[in-house]
Amino acid sequence: MRFAAIIFALLLSAPTMAHQLKASVTTVLFNKRTNNIELMHRFYLHDTEHAVDHLFDGNADILSNKEDQKRFADYVESHIALQTLDGKPLELKEVGAQVDGKFFWVYQEVTIPEGIHGIRMSNGALRDLWPTQVNMVNIEGKGKVKTLTFSQDDTWLEARFESVNPE
């Protein structure tokens, strides 16, 4: 009987524990068709709602207010940076943001520099609010997918691309 009560209590608490991890996923796509590096940042809408309460004094509506969506996108963009491996900044341009189902997306892009062999990236979005926030970045379109994981005290991480030898 005691075991059944413990299992029942765990089942009741599971929904509240289900989204304790604060995390985002970013795709950095080297798009040969557009000649751009395209960044697509995906945040759980639940996290963005809590974030805007902290960032904008509880007076924001991320779901339906385009101005608040823009303010949150500007916040995200101010916490993202790209560089070449030798430290040359890549100036990201704002493309837009949107609510899509249970996610909030922020989009950025920059022209692919000639002869790029890797990137350095900083992704501190929401990490100033929640020290346990984890920002995972998948880099695609330059050989095998590379993954950077920003957690704890990570500020800049880098990904190097394999040289492609013509046959």
Side-chain angles (χ1 to χ4, degrees):
M1 183 71 162
R2 180 180 272 166
F3 180 73
I6 292 171
I7 294 298
F8 182 71
L10 286 172
L11 288 174
L12 283 178
S13 66
T16 60
M17 294 174 11
H19 190 68
Q20 291 296 319
L21 176 66
K22 301 283 190 200
S24 74
V25 176
T26 294
T27 299
V28 175
L29 174 65
F30 282 76
N31 188 331
K32 292 176 184 149
R33 186 180 53 78
T34 62
N35 197 39
N36 284 330
I37 303 171
E38 301 169 355
L39 283 74
M40 297 155 278
H41 311 285
R42 186 188 80 183
F43 298 89
Y44 283 104
L45 193 53
H46 178 79
D47 291 346
T48 61
E49 289 175 308
H50 286 284
V52 297
D53 281 345
H54 291 290
L55 293 168
F56 310 131
D57 300 323
N59 295 322
D61 176 7
I62 194 81
L63 291 174
S64 57
N65 186 317
K66 294 290 184 192
E67 235 177 79
D68 290 337
Q69 292 174 7
K70 170 89 170 83
R71 287 191 332 171
F72 183 73
D74 289 345
Y75 160 82
V76 170
E77 291 167 355
S78 74
H79 286 76
I80 305 293
L82 278 184
Q83 297 178 347
T84 61
L85 289 176
D86 60 2
K88 180 182 178 223
L90 300 176
E91 299 299 326
L92 294 166
K93 295 177 197 133
E94 172 185 327
V95 174
Q98 70 176 1
V99 173
D100 181 27
K102 64 181 180 177
F103 299 109
F104 187 84
W105 292 85
V106 178
Y107 306 101
Q108 297 176 283
E109 68 182 9
V110 64
T111 302
I112 300 172
E114 216 173 290
I116 191 163
H117 300 291
I119 59 168
R120 290 175 34 83
M121 183 172 188
S122 178
N123 185 340
L126 299 180
R127 296 181 66 214
D128 54 339
L129 296 178
W130 301 301
T132 59
Q133 172 77 22
V134 175
N135 295 331
M136 187 176 77
V137 177
N138 291 317
I139 302 164
E140 302 175 9
K142 279 293 208 182
K144 292 180 184 175
V145 174
K146 304 266 190 249
T147 301
L148 306 176
T149 304
F150 292 86
S151 62
Q152 299 175 345
D153 295 330
D154 295 330
T155 54
W156 287 92
L157 299 176
E158 70 177 43
R160 294 180 179 271
F161 310 135
E162 295 93 21
S163 298
V164 178
N165 296 327
E167 293 183 25

